[in-house]
Amino acid sequence: MVSSSHEALHHFGQKDTAGLIRNFQKLFHVPFPEPCGFTVLNTDLTEIEPVERRVDSLVRVNTEEGDYLLVLESQGKKDERKRGSWPYYLSYLYEQYRCEPVLIVMTQSSSTARWAAQPIRFGLPGWSSLVVRPMVLGPDNVPVITDEKEAVQDVSLAVLSAITHGKGPRAAAILGPLAAALETIDPASAALLVQLVTSGLVDSQAKEIWRDLMAPVNYFFKNPAAQKVRYETRVEDRIEMTLTILELRGLPVPDSVRLRVRACSDLDQLKIWSERAIQVTEAAELFDDDGA
């Protein structure tokens, strides 16, 4: 099941591609040409055969030296199937678009980062027919930014730092400077980054700290996009509340119920379901009287 933190990681690269490129130029010392344009592409790589293959985010970067495809994958844990699908993605995309694909894997787990960074080799021992070397952004190479001046200098990197490291006792030290740095950029960009951090934090204590930091009425929260962020946060909280009540009561929660609850973006409907969750005898009864 796709989590909000999974979505935040690859959406960070999709929504702030320029910032992501600056970051991996800095972290990997890669001589990536200066971008002059970006295009978000369809992520569906399915062929005629009934096999679905889909990347998390796909962005075409235009440079004076040619175009590149950023293949952005958010990886929560080790998945050996990716060692087959990632090479497929890159080969397919090169054939489809005839420009160089670059695989970037983002994770909040050090062990997953080490696994993902291992080269994928196909062929004979000592004579590889195909080698894939993902660029991995994770806890071991994304810096921990706790200094406000440093956060102001590179807000995008500070956001990536918060999503990657913002958990446990050091969450406040990371999130506080980031909140101050967001007030130095334009309101629309700040609202978008607030949303990414809100979705990307996996630690409950960090989420509470972030909500407290974002609660005061400051200038960028007057932006319509920021109001949407607050609404989406309430929706996410109500979704988790509904499912948690069912689980705490010991009721089996089928995937069909989880998917329907998580797909709902109507706060009023979610409120009804969370109240029903206290009384139902089985999870599917949440949807009684909903006309379905």
Side-chain angles (χ1 to χ4, degrees), residues 51-193:
V51 178
E52 181 176 320
R53 300 178 176 92
R54 191 180 300 273
V55 298
D56 288 333
S57 286
L58 182 62
V59 182
R60 186 168 188 152
V61 181
N62 313 117
T63 79
E64 293 183 356
E65 300 178 24
D67 291 358
Y68 293 84
L69 294 174
L70 299 189
V71 185
L72 306 171
E73 285 279 278
S74 176
Q75 197 67 28
K77 59 184 179 180
K78 300 177 184 179
D79 183 354
E80 289 301 324
R81 293 173 299 176
K82 293 292 188 178
R83 306 193 73 78
S85 57
W86 285 340
Y88 168 83
Y89 294 164
L90 302 183
S91 300
Y92 177 90
L93 289 168
Y94 181 79
E95 180 66 22
Q96 178 78 6
Y97 294 100
R98 288 294 170 178
C99 58
E100 300 293 338
V102 179
L103 175 60
I104 302 172
V105 179
M106 295 179 282
T107 181
Q108 297 163 319
S109 163
S110 293
S111 61
T112 301
R114 289 191 293 271
W115 165 82
Q118 297 172 6
I120 303 169
R121 302 180 188 276
F122 292 150
L124 296 170
W127 190 281
S128 299
S129 299
L130 175 66
V131 179
V132 174
R133 295 180 61 200
M135 301 177 69
V136 182
L137 293 171
D140 295 335
N141 61 359
V142 173
V144 177
I145 297 180
T146 57
D147 181 78
E148 185 176 324
K149 290 182 180 178
E150 190 176 352
V152 170
Q153 288 174 355
D154 194 336
V155 179
S156 294
L157 186 58
V159 168
L160 189 57
S161 175
I163 293 175
T164 305
H165 300 286
K167 55 186 177 181
R170 62 181 174 184
I174 297 172
L175 297 174
L178 173 59
L182 287 170
E183 297 195 37
T184 67
I185 63 176
D186 69 275
S189 297
L192 174 61
L193 295 177

Side-chain angles (χ1 to χ4, degrees), residues 1 5 16 20 26 33 39-40 57 87 103 134 150 153 164 171 173 184 187 193 196 214 222 243 256 273 285 292:
M1 184 174 295
S5 60
D16 189 16
L20 179 65
K26 180 187 303 182
T39 306
V40 177
S57 286
L103 175 60
E150 190 176 352
Q153 288 174 355
T164 305
T184 67
L193 295 177
L196 290 173
M214 295 296 101
K222 299 175 183 177
L243 297 176
S256 58
W273 288 346
E285 292 177 4

Side-chain angles (χ1 to χ4, degrees), residues 118-290:
Q118 297 172 6
I120 303 169
R121 302 180 188 276
F122 292 150
L124 296 170
W127 190 281
S128 299
S129 299
L130 175 66
V131 179
V132 174
R133 295 180 61 200
M135 301 177 69
V136 182
L137 293 171
D140 295 335
N141 61 359
V142 173
V144 177
I145 297 180
T146 57
D147 181 78
E148 185 176 324
K149 290 182 180 178
E150 190 176 352
V152 170
Q153 288 174 355
D154 194 336
V155 179
S156 294
L157 186 58
V159 168
L160 189 57
S161 175
I163 293 175
T164 305
H165 300 286
K167 55 186 177 181
R170 62 181 174 184
I174 297 172
L175 297 174
L178 173 59
L182 287 170
E183 297 195 37
T184 67
I185 63 176
D186 69 275
S189 297
L192 174 61
L193 295 177
V194 167
Q195 181 179 15
L196 290 173
V197 175
T198 301
S199 300
L201 292 173
V202 295
D203 183 78
S204 58
Q205 181 181 0
K207 282 180 174 289
E208 184 175 350
I209 292 170
W210 186 242
R211 289 193 192 100
D212 289 343
L213 288 168
M214 295 296 101
V217 181
N218 47 47
Y219 78 95
F220 66 78
F221 255 65
K222 299 175 183 177
N223 186 280
Q227 294 174 358
K228 180 182 177 183
V229 169
R230 286 190 286 181
Y231 181 85
E232 291 177 350
T233 300
R234 293 173 63 196
V235 165
E236 182 181 339
D237 288 345
R238 188 63 68 164
I239 288 172
E240 296 303 325
M241 179 190 300
T242 303
L243 297 176
T244 299
I245 290 172
L246 294 173
E247 291 166 354
L248 290 176
R249 294 186 60 217
L251 298 178
V253 185
D255 286 344
S256 58
V257 172
R258 290 183 185 276
L259 288 171
R260 183 167 174 181
V261 173
R262 291 194 181 281
C264 183
S265 58
D266 185 331
L267 190 58
D268 291 335
Q269 180 64 71
L270 287 167
K271 186 174 184 294
I272 292 172
W273 288 346
S274 65
E275 291 171 351
R276 286 180 187 168
I278 301 173
Q279 300 177 341
V280 296
T281 56
E282 59 181 65
E285 292 177 4
L286 286 180
F287 313 128
D288 288 355
D289 302 324
D290 287 346

Side-chain angles (χ1 to χ4, degrees), residues 14-50:
Q14 185 184 105
K15 302 296 186 182
D16 189 16
T17 309
L20 179 65
I21 289 175
R22 287 196 307 272
N23 290 333
F24 75 68
Q25 282 175 330
K26 180 187 303 182
L27 299 174
F28 292 99
H29 308 290
V30 175
F32 198 101
E34 189 64 29
C36 54
F38 305 97
T39 306
V40 177
L41 302 176
N42 189 343
T43 61
D44 193 346
L45 311 184
T46 306
E47 298 184 272
I48 295 175
E49 294 83 357

